[in-house]
Amino acid sequence: NAGVTQTPKFQVLKTGQSMTLQCAQDMNHEYMSWYRQDPGMGLRLIHYSVGAGITDQGEVPNGYNVSRSTTEDFPLRLLSAAPSQTSVYFCASSFEGTGTYTEAFFGQGTRLTVV
Amino acid sequence: GENVEQHPSTLSVQEGDSAVIKCTYSDSASNYFPWYKQELGKGPQLIIDIRSNVGEKKDQRIAVTLNKTAKHFSLHITETQPEDSAVYFCAASIQSNFGNEKLTFGTGTRLTIIP
């Protein structure tokens, strides 16, 4: 059981480049979310999705885009990378499609550096 | 929106002693309070959680207490061991029919156990 899988683990981008952070889960979870983790600031919610085709903004959505075409996948797109987006990004999933509450499971993270 | 404050930011305790981490929250509608442990290079992992209908929950050496009136909750680790060294995050959310919606995290506590 893989849980939540994030790729890549590390990435260096130049300012202005775009890229997609991948997130996949195999637990039939309806709820998926993206957080960024910065020193001294905990984890802050970027975007979340309560099911395929449904997404919404979190606390810090600017500069990021998401879509949810399947239950399993929830990619995060950086449209035009900026140094302020240097961070560690975590994807999380929870809540089984059968209607059962679960804890939030986190991926291993993607460390992104924008130069 | 919800605001979660966490103290202390760093904590060092002798092996075998107890550690206490405290959090306060602002939204009285919050009803779910998980604690996560994050080891170096890994994603956060749930260690214990509590819902607003109980005041205390215990799991072996770990316990969480909740004071709804004062809007604060605490993590207690007894008989600390070297493997307890990690960063601990508290969080709060309003758990709806969609699961752990919009977790708001504290800023984290780096716990170091001194052998």
Side-chain angles (χ1 to χ4, degrees):
Chain A
N1 191 350
V4 179
T5 303
Q6 288 183 237
T7 55
K9 286 187 169 52
F10 302 94
Q11 182 71 50
V12 179
L13 285 179
K14 293 183 179 179
T15 298
Q17 285 185 318
S18 62
M19 80 159 294
T20 299
L21 279 63
Q22 301 291 344
C23 176
Q25 53 91 7
D26 60 0
M27 297 175 282
N28 193 31
H29 284 172
E30 289 292 331
Y31 186 82
M32 296 186 73
S33 52
W34 277 101
Y35 293 86
R36 60 176 289 172
Q37 183 175 30
D38 302 294
M41 301 187 75
L43 290 93
R44 293 181 292 168
L45 182 65
I46 304 171
H47 285 285
Y48 67 99
S49 168
V50 299
I54 307 170
T55 63
D56 205 349
Q57 296 181 351
E59 181 185 353
V60 288
N62 293 340
Y64 306 95
N65 207 353
V66 292
S67 60
R68 183 95 179 271
S69 57
T70 67
T71 299
E72 293 78 21
D73 300 298
F74 190 43
L76 178 72
R77 281 181 283 277
L78 279 71
L79 308 174
S80 177
S84 60
Q85 294 178 305
T86 293
S87 187
V88 181
Y89 292 83
F90 288 99
C91 178
S93 75
S94 64
F95 194 66
E96 292 181 358
T98 57
T100 303
Y101 290 121
T102 70
E103 66 185 80
F105 291 87
F106 284 81
Q108 294 289 296
T110 296
R111 184 174 293 275
L112 175 68
T113 302
V114 183
V115 298
Chain B
E2 175 68 281
N3 182 47
V4 177
E5 295 190 357
Q6 182 172 348
H7 300 280
S9 57
T10 60
L11 179 61
S12 295
V13 300
Q14 291 289 139
E15 182 178 353
D17 288 350
S18 296
V20 180
I21 302 170
K22 298 181 179 182
C23 289
T24 61
Y25 62 99
S26 62
D27 191 342
S28 57
S30 290
N31 60 5
Y32 177 67
F33 307 93
W35 285 89
Y36 287 86
K37 177 182 181 182
Q38 186 178 27
E39 296 176 337
L40 194 62
K42 296 185 178 181
Q45 186 169 12
L46 181 77
I47 56 171
I48 195 167
D49 57 14
I50 191 168
R51 290 184 168 82
S52 58
N53 56 348
V54 298
E56 185 174 359
K57 185 176 179 180
K58 194 172 182 180
D59 183 4
Q60 299 182 336
R61 297 185 298 108
I62 295 173
V64 58
T65 58
L66 171 65
N67 183 326
K68 287 172 54 180
T69 302
K71 289 190 277 189
H72 67 71
F73 56 113
S74 301
L75 177 71
H76 305 254
I77 305 174
T78 59
E79 301 172 13
T80 53
Q81 301 168 2
E83 53 265 36
D84 294 330
S85 293
V87 178
Y88 291 81
F89 290 97
C90 63
S93 78
I94 302 170
Q95 196 165 58
S96 69
N97 289 336
F98 294 109
N100 302 331
E101 201 163 2
K102 293 187 180 180
L103 282 169
T104 300
F105 284 85
T107 50
T109 296
R110 181 173 299 279
L111 175 63
T112 302
I113 306 302
I114 304 166

